[in-house]
Amino acid sequence: MIQMPEKELESFSVPDLASDRNWEELLVSIWNSLKVKSRRFKESQIRSVELKFYPYRNGNHSVSFHNGLLTAKFHSSLMEAREEIILSFVRLLISKLLGLKPKQIWKEEVAEFLNSLPESGSANFKKLKENGVVYDLRVILEKISSYYFPKMDTKLLSIGWADRLGKRRLGSYEKRNMNIRISPILDHKEVPLYVLEHVVHHEILHHILPSRIKNGQNSIHSPEFKRKEKEYVRYREAINWLKMEYPKFLMGHQKEIGHRLRSEFYG
């Protein structure tokens, strides 16, 4: 999301469960390696394993143990995850079950993995208009992506003018639908093209650099994000315009753009 702060702009189908990996063996192995540190489960023995995979993003990822039965429920995409992600995922869940303090790196890797999954209901959203009164957002998206992100498939991204007149929130990225929304307040001949390009560039970065968990905090604009943001060739000009000229622009044209929005041009 890109906003105007006080001082500076900062911005399934279920797959076949057949796999070379022996999940039951993996679960038992990690359980046995961690249980030695657990007071309650130190002498517990696994007699059988029940493993279930679910397609939905917000399901309960869990591991439970009762009378020798270890039951594990995972998101189906975990089957295709990197080995280190799988190990961290299983270790994290089992350590919590055993009453142990999980390692921070496990938390971070699992959080990043879950954060990368598409959410349910991604098809249920309103497609917004790309072509505005002055600017065509699809043209801008294609231009920025071809120059700065040539390996990115722009067909995966939708972009459009928001149906609300955001004065501080100039752009946002919705991961669930992989959709970029730009405030229609910027669709004006007195707003420089490089400002629109900067905002779109910023939101594309949210698409390719998802937020990470660092020291227990959700890092949205990481150092890497801020470094890449400055790669836009007119970054400083855009920042200066938003700081110095944007407030004046708002005073002079807010009513005009508000009227245009109420006419449902962007709907």
Side-chain angles (χ1 to χ4, degrees), residues 237-250:
E237 286 181 82
I239 292 294
N240 288 338
W241 189 91
L242 288 167
K243 288 172 65 177
M244 305 302 296
E245 302 300 324
Y246 181 63
K248 304 174 189 176
F249 168 78
L250 281 182

Side-chain angles (χ1 to χ4, degrees), residues 114-242:
L114 294 177
N115 192 49
S116 70
L117 300 179
E119 297 182 6
S120 58
S122 58
N124 300 319
F125 77 102
K126 177 182 178 182
K127 181 173 176 58
L128 300 172
K129 183 172 289 188
E130 298 175 344
N131 191 16
V133 175
V134 177
Y135 293 112
D136 188 322
L137 291 176
R138 175 54 61 174
V139 171
I140 296 175
L141 175 67
E142 296 291 345
K143 174 184 177 181
I144 292 297
S145 62
S146 65
Y147 190 85
Y148 296 97
F149 315 104
K151 295 181 180 180
M152 184 184 76
D153 185 357
T154 57
K155 295 184 180 66
L156 296 177
L157 275 174
S158 62
I159 190 169
W161 296 103
D163 49 8
R164 294 184 180 181
L165 195 65
K167 292 180 290 184
R168 285 175 52 83
R169 190 177 187 182
L170 302 180
S172 65
Y173 171 65
E174 184 182 29
K175 182 175 60 178
R176 180 181 63 185
N177 298 316
M178 291 195 287
N179 169 250
I180 293 175
R181 292 172 178 246
I182 304 298
S183 172
I185 204 161
L186 297 180
D187 186 26
H188 196 280
K189 62 183 180 180
E190 291 189 18
V191 176
L193 174 59
Y194 59 80
V195 173
L196 263 296
E197 290 181 345
H198 161 62
V199 176
V200 171
H201 180 267
H202 178 104
E203 301 307 334
I204 292 175
L205 285 175
H206 279 302
H207 171 66
I208 66 174
L209 295 174
S211 60
R212 299 169 180 264
I213 304 297
K214 184 177 182 180
N215 298 324
Q217 300 295 320
N218 194 14
S219 177
I220 299 176
H221 298 122
S222 64
E224 182 184 9
F225 186 105
K226 294 180 180 179
R227 177 180 60 79
K228 284 189 171 294
E229 184 178 36
K230 294 176 182 177
E231 291 178 357
Y232 172 59
V233 66
R234 305 187 72 174
Y235 169 80
R236 184 49 58 188
E237 286 181 82
I239 292 294
N240 288 338
W241 189 91
L242 288 167

Side-chain angles (χ1 to χ4, degrees), residues 35-50:
K35 74 171 186 175
V36 295
K37 301 177 183 179
S38 172
R39 294 180 180 180
R40 179 182 175 187
F41 295 97
K42 189 173 184 178
E43 304 301 327
S44 299
Q45 297 295 325
I46 296 177
R47 295 184 176 87
S48 61
V49 175
E50 184 178 84

Side-chain angles (χ1 to χ4, degrees), residues 39-102:
R39 294 180 180 180
R40 179 182 175 187
F41 295 97
K42 189 173 184 178
E43 304 301 327
S44 299
Q45 297 295 325
I46 296 177
R47 295 184 176 87
S48 61
V49 175
E50 184 178 84
L51 180 64
K52 297 180 180 180
F53 288 91
Y54 293 98
Y56 42 82
R57 182 183 190 274
N58 296 319
N60 292 323
H61 314 278
S62 64
V63 175
S64 61
F65 180 82
H66 182 67
N67 291 336
L69 173 63
L70 185 70
T71 302
K73 299 178 182 180
F74 300 139
H75 189 281
S76 57
S77 62
L78 188 64
M79 300 177 67
E80 306 300 326
R82 303 192 314 271
E83 189 69 21
E84 60 268 29
I85 298 297
I86 294 172
L87 292 175
S88 290
F89 204 102
V90 177
R91 285 166 177 162
L92 176 63
L93 292 176
I94 290 181
S95 64
K96 287 184 175 182
L97 173 61
L98 295 174
L100 305 176
K101 183 178 180 179

